[in-house]
Each structure stands twice: as C-alpha cells, then as structure tokens.
C-alpha cells in the first residue's frame, strides 16, 4: 500500500472512532467499568459503570453506630466495608456534628440538632420544624430493623427510637404511621429517599464491627442487585452517626453509585450537613438549615 493510501485509510479509521465516541456520549451510555461490560450496575460492579451523571431518582442512606474512621477503614474486622471503599468512593475527612446519637440523626435529616443534646425519646422532644421527610411528602421510606410496629415512638428490644429521627417530628405523624416501617428481609427501595437503620446489634452499637460488617455484606447486595439500582439512577450513602466519643468525631463514609469512580477518595472536610445538602441537591429540594452552608459531596464523587 502506498503512503497516500495508508494516510487515507488511517484517517478514515480515526474519523470512524471519533463518531462512535460521540455517539456514546450523545446517547448517555457512558463507559462500562472493569468486569461489567454490560454497563449495568450490580453488586459485583456497583461503581465506575458510567461517567454520565443521571437525573437521580433514588438516594438511600444506611446509618451505622459509634465507630471511628480508624475502627472501620483498614480494619480486618470490616472486610466488606473496605471492599466497598476500594470499589467505590470514600470520604476520608468526614465528621459527625455532635455527641450522643440523637443530635446527629436530627442534624442529618433537618440541617440542625434542634437544640437536642441527649438521647431522650420523642415524648421529650416533640419537633415541629421541617425535615427531608416533610420536604418529600410521600416520597420517602424509613426502614427500621426490629421495630415492633410502624412508627414506634418508644424503644423496644434491639430497636432504639433515638436512631429513628422520623419519630421526633410531630408534623409528619400521619406519614410516619404509613412510611416508617419495620425493615423487611427483601426491602422496597423504590422511594425517592430511603433511610435505613439496622438494629442495635447489626449497626455495631451493641455488637462488634465484624457483626455489623457481616450484616452489611448481606444487606447491601440486595440493594445493588435490585431492579431499582440496575437502572443507574440510585446512589447509596453509608455512614456512622458518631465515632467512639472523641472530639474529632471522624467517621467513615462510603459513597456508592454507578457514577462514582473506582477507588475515589476525597479529603475535603464533610459533615452530616454535607450529606443532607448532597441528597437535597440530587433530589432537587431546597436546602435545610446548616445544609445551605455545608460543602456538597457531589463534585468529589461525581454525583
């Protein structure tokens, strides 16, 4: 083949490749992640499936208990969480906002601790202000493991009402009675926002890190293998309410979505208010309280 023909052939190949590349971007197909040639996110390849950020339809939070960042990340007792952090995203400078538990839960969902400094039940703290639940109307679900009945306002067995912030907002009692429900073995994650609280053992509060990690290794794949997640417009945020009681209050926070780059790390200072802001932005909601001044996590994790 002479030089002129070689140049012409090469140019045609380059143009063809360029057009195909443009078609991928234009159709929103993105780039399939390692080991997931189909481009469909699942438990084996939950992240790095596409670089195209969708219009988010679902955000799921899973809240664990009372463990510091160093007790989780790098720990041989938490192999599943560490595998998620390796395959998806990890915030390495994320901090809770208070001690004990309840103020953190209220801060997560309302942008304020509401002046609460203890873990007393709803009978002691009847809150009337807005929350992400009231913002969403009926577009949310709270799944509480071992809760004896819907919207239980008192602790029972391994169910702790202090870990169920919905129960504290009196203006959404009717919605609470319908949408704050015991966690089922096959949970429905189809709401725009789903708040998940394991029981006092599985959230690592009363039991070991290893016990909680095993629970997550069973529960999270149910989400990632669901038809809801496979569509590609669902994100999962896994965090801890507070650390071991120290002043740093640094906790592990793992970000899971089809758009998160594999092994993404961010050392930006984030808090529970950041998680609320990020979720409200993703679901196209007004920013509540301290979420308005918090740093969003979206650019760090391509959400």
């Amino acid at each position: 083949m002479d030089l002129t023909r070689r140049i012409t052939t090469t140019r045609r190949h380059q143009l063809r490749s360029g057009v195909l590349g443009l078609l991928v971007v234009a159709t929103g197909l993105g780039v399939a992640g390692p080991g997931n040639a189909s481009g469909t996110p699942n438990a084996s390849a939950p992240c790095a499936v596409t670089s195209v950020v969708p219009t988010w339809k679902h955000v799921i939070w899973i809240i664990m208990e009372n463990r510091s960042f160093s007790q989780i990340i790098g720990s041989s007792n938490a192999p599943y969480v560490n595998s998620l952090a390796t395959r998806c995203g990890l915030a390495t400078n994320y901090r809770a906002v208070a001690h004990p538990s309840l103020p953190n839960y209220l801060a997560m969902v309302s942008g304020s601790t509401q002046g609460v400094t203890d873990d007393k039940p709803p009978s002691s703290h009847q809150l009337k202000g807005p929350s992400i639940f009231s913002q969403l109307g009926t577009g949310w679900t709270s799944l509480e493991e071992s809760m004896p009945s819907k919207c239980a306002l008192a602790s029972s067995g391994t169910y702790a009402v202090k870990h169920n912030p919905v129960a504290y907002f009196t203006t959404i009692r009717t919605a609470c009675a319908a949408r704050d429900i015991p966690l089922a073995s096959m949970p429905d994650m189809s709401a725009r926002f789903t708040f998940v609280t394991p029981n006092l053992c599985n959230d690592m509060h009363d039991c070991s890190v290893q016990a909680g990690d095993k629970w997550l290794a069973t529960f999270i794949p149910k989400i990632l293998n669901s038809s809801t997640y496979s569509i590609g417009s669902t994100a999962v945020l896994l965090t801890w309410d507070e650390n071991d009681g120290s002043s740093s209050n640094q906790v592990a926070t793992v970000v899971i979505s089809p758009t998160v780059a594999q092994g993404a790390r961010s050392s930006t200072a984030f808090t529970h208010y950041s998680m609320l802001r990020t979720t409200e932005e993703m679901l196209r909601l007004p920013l509540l309280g301290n979420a308005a001044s918090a740093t969003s996590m979206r650019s760090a994790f391509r959400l």
Side-chain angles (χ1 to χ4, degrees):
M1 184 184 293
D2 61 32
L3 179 59
T4 301
R5 289 180 65 192
R6 275 203 306 269
I7 293 173
T8 301
T9 301
T10 300
R11 181 59 177 156
R12 284 173 180 167
H13 177 74
Q14 289 172 340
L15 286 171
R16 189 180 297 115
S17 299
V19 170
L20 288 174
L22 287 172
L23 284 172
V24 169
V25 174
T27 55
L29 294 175
V31 181
N36 193 359
S38 70
T40 302
N42 54 48
S44 297
C47 299
V49 176
T50 178
S51 60
V52 180
V53 177
T55 298
W56 297 105
K57 295 182 179 179
H58 313 281
V59 179
I60 299 166
W61 291 1
I62 304 172
I63 314 299
M64 306 295 282
E65 276 283 317
N66 291 29
R67 301 290 175 172
S68 66
F69 182 91
S70 61
Q71 286 178 298
I72 303 300
I73 301 304
S75 170
S76 60
N77 291 319
Y80 181 70
V81 173
N82 280 277
S83 74
L84 285 176
T86 298
R87 291 183 292 155
C88 297
L90 176 68
T92 61
N93 189 18
Y94 185 110
R95 299 173 192 275
V97 300
H99 295 299
S101 290
L102 179 57
N104 286 292
Y105 281 85
L106 298 177
M108 288 179 204
V109 302
S110 72
S112 169
T113 63
Q114 305 295 331
V116 174
T117 59
D118 55 53
D119 281 335
K120 292 181 180 179
S123 58
S124 298
H125 301 297
Q126 299 184 37
L127 307 179
K128 301 184 185 302
S131 66
I132 190 170
F133 305 111
S134 61
Q135 285 183 309
L136 287 165
T138 60
W140 60 272
T141 303
S142 177
L143 304 177
E144 303 291 322
E145 189 179 30
S146 301
M147 184 167 63
S149 59
K150 293 181 178 180
C151 196
L153 302 183
S155 298
S156 175
T158 56
Y159 163 68
V161 71
K162 63 184 179 180
H163 301 161
N164 182 11
V166 182
Y168 288 81
F169 292 90
T170 59
T171 55
I172 56 171
R173 279 282 188 268
T174 300
C176 182
R179 312 202 68 79
D180 185 42
I181 61 179
L183 177 63
S185 58
M186 290 300 292
D188 181 357
M189 299 287 177
S190 61
R192 291 181 68 194
F193 176 63
T194 303
F195 186 95
V196 180
T197 308
N199 66 31
L200 283 169
C201 181
N202 291 328
D203 68 3
M204 304 185 185
H205 186 283
D206 289 355
C207 296
S208 65
V209 168
Q210 188 174 33
D213 188 76
K214 287 182 177 179
W215 185 87
L216 290 169
T218 298
F219 180 75
I220 290 182
K222 294 178 182 179
I223 300 173
L224 303 182
N225 284 327
S226 69
S227 58
T228 299
Y229 192 78
S230 69
I231 293 171
S233 54
T234 297
V236 182
L237 298 173
L238 168 65
T239 194
W240 277 252
D241 74 321
E242 59 177 324
N243 69 2
D244 54 3
S246 68
S247 58
S248 73
N249 225 348
Q250 184 183 12
V251 295
T253 299
V254 179
V255 183
I256 308 163
S257 88
T259 58
V260 175
Q262 184 172 339
R265 296 288 182 274
S266 177
S267 60
T268 301
F270 297 125
T271 68
H272 289 329
Y273 297 129
S274 299
M275 185 168 70
L276 176 59
R277 178 183 185 131
T278 301
T279 302
E280 288 177 318
E281 288 176 340
M282 293 169 72
L283 298 179
R284 302 166 298 284
L285 300 170
L287 302 180
L288 288 173
N290 290 310
S293 58
T295 302
S296 175
M297 303 168 69
R298 293 190 73 184
S299 61
F301 296 104
R302 202 162 59 193
L303 295 173

